[in-house]
Amino acid sequence: MIFLRSLIKGLPALILAFCVALTFILPVTPASAQDALTGLTGGLPALTSTEFGDGTTSYSLSLQILALMTALTLLPSLVLGMTSFTRIIIVLSILRQAMGTQQTPPNQVLIAIALFLSFFIMAPTLTQVYEKSADPYLNGDVSAEIALGTASDTMKGFLVKNTRKADLKMFADMADLGSFETPESVPLTVLLPAFITSELKTAFQIGFLLFLPFLVIDMVIASVLMSLGMMMLSPMLVSLPFKLLLFVLVDGWAMTVGSLVATYSA
């Protein structure tokens, strides 16, 4: 079982290593041997790029596979660092701890909720990325560089709107870049750490507000048990039904989810 898990985790790295080795081997193959290899494998080109007269560039299949595997490797970091996932998962984790339900809901459920809410919040931005960048590139209307630049500008607009000005200014001052005129002029090297810092601060502020009513219930139950002399009875065990009752009566999940979505500007 352990070997199977290690094998599954190592598959992306093995595929990436195979692509890198392939790109290094094919360019140095002699012309005749490479032609023979092309005929046998169905036409796998080497790591090359072709520039046309109109200024566009066409990349070989090997280079496209290498770029795709690299993008898949960086995808989890992009989901964590450029979307609302971080704030949502932190708030939900603090909420579960405040309720004292241990592993209920389980981690898989919290991650699923955070992912679905992130897709809902990011839907307008992702739609713009597809319409302005992905669709024109797939139709061959724009090059990869232009499509990537347009997608980057669209994501920058979302990140700037949801980043605290103080955090953005702090990282800009540390990088000695000064002020920026437009959201598109903010480099990602400054915007991404500022966005993450802002997300952490906002998440802990929301978590603090969610924690207070449950803390009050715990303190009241503990005081009542102390006054009755029931020191051997755990206050957490007695307060759990009351916290669940309070959370259900006020429709806590809808309030929490609605508040999280309302904190973002698309």
Side-chain angles (χ1 to χ4, degrees):
M1 190 67 181
I2 298 177
F3 173 77
L4 182 59
R5 292 180 179 176
S6 303
L7 181 60
I8 294 175
K9 292 181 179 179
L11 278 179
L14 291 175
I15 297 175
L16 182 58
F18 172 77
C19 294
V20 173
L22 187 64
T23 56
F24 279 102
I25 293 174
L26 289 180
V28 299
T29 305
S32 59
Q34 187 170 348
D35 293 340
L37 181 62
T38 302
L40 291 174
T41 59
L44 183 63
L47 179 61
T48 58
S49 60
T50 305
E51 295 184 1
F52 298 97
D54 56 355
T56 60
T57 304
S58 177
Y59 297 96
S60 64
L61 180 60
S62 301
L63 189 57
Q64 293 179 16
I65 293 176
L66 181 60
L68 177 61
M69 296 304 301
T70 304
L72 292 177
T73 305
L74 298 176
L75 184 60
S77 300
L78 296 179
V79 172
L80 293 176
M82 299 183 67
T83 65
S84 57
F85 181 85
T86 301
R87 181 189 302 186
I88 296 173
I89 194 63
I90 290 177
V91 171
L92 294 180
S93 299
I94 294 177
L95 175 61
R96 183 178 64 180
Q97 185 176 1
M99 294 177 62
T101 53
Q102 301 300 326
Q103 295 298 321
T104 304
N107 294 330
Q108 293 84 349
V109 175
L110 292 185
I111 293 175
I113 295 174
L115 281 175
F116 294 150
L117 289 180
S118 299
F119 288 144
F120 178 80
I121 294 171
M122 299 295 299
T125 303
L126 297 179
T127 301
Q128 293 181 15
V129 170
Y130 178 79
E131 293 177 351
K132 296 180 179 179
S133 302
D135 192 35
Y137 173 71
L138 294 176
N139 294 331
D141 298 332
V142 297
S143 61
E145 292 83 358
I146 297 177
L148 185 59
T150 305
S152 177
D153 293 340
T154 304
M155 290 301 302
K156 283 181 181 179
F158 171 81
L159 296 177
V160 170
K161 288 181 182 179
N162 297 280
T163 303
R164 297 174 183 268
K165 295 182 179 179
D167 297 329
L168 188 59
K169 185 177 183 302
M170 178 185 67
F171 283 97
D173 293 340
M174 287 192 294
D176 197 15
L177 295 178
S179 59
F180 306 100
E181 298 180 357
T182 60
E184 291 77 11
S185 61
V186 183
L188 289 176
T189 55
V190 173
L191 185 55
L192 289 180
F195 177 74
I196 285 293
T197 305
S198 178
E199 288 290 282
L200 292 174
K201 185 176 182 179
T202 304
F204 277 95
Q205 287 179 348
I206 298 175
F208 171 75
L209 296 177
L210 288 175
F211 213 107
L212 283 180
F214 298 107
L215 180 61
V216 171
I217 294 177
D218 286 335
M219 293 177 63
V220 171
I221 295 298
S223 300
V224 171
L225 293 178
M226 288 285 292
S227 62
L228 295 177
M230 300 180 180
M231 300 180 183
M232 300 301 294
L233 187 61
S234 174
M236 295 292 295
L237 182 63
V238 179
S239 63
L240 179 59
F242 294 97
K243 289 189 287 187
L244 292 177
L245 179 63
L246 173 65
F247 196 71
V248 172
L249 289 178
V250 299
D251 199 4
W253 285 113
M255 292 180 59
T256 303
V257 170
S259 301
L260 283 172
V261 175
T263 56
Y264 282 95
S265 300

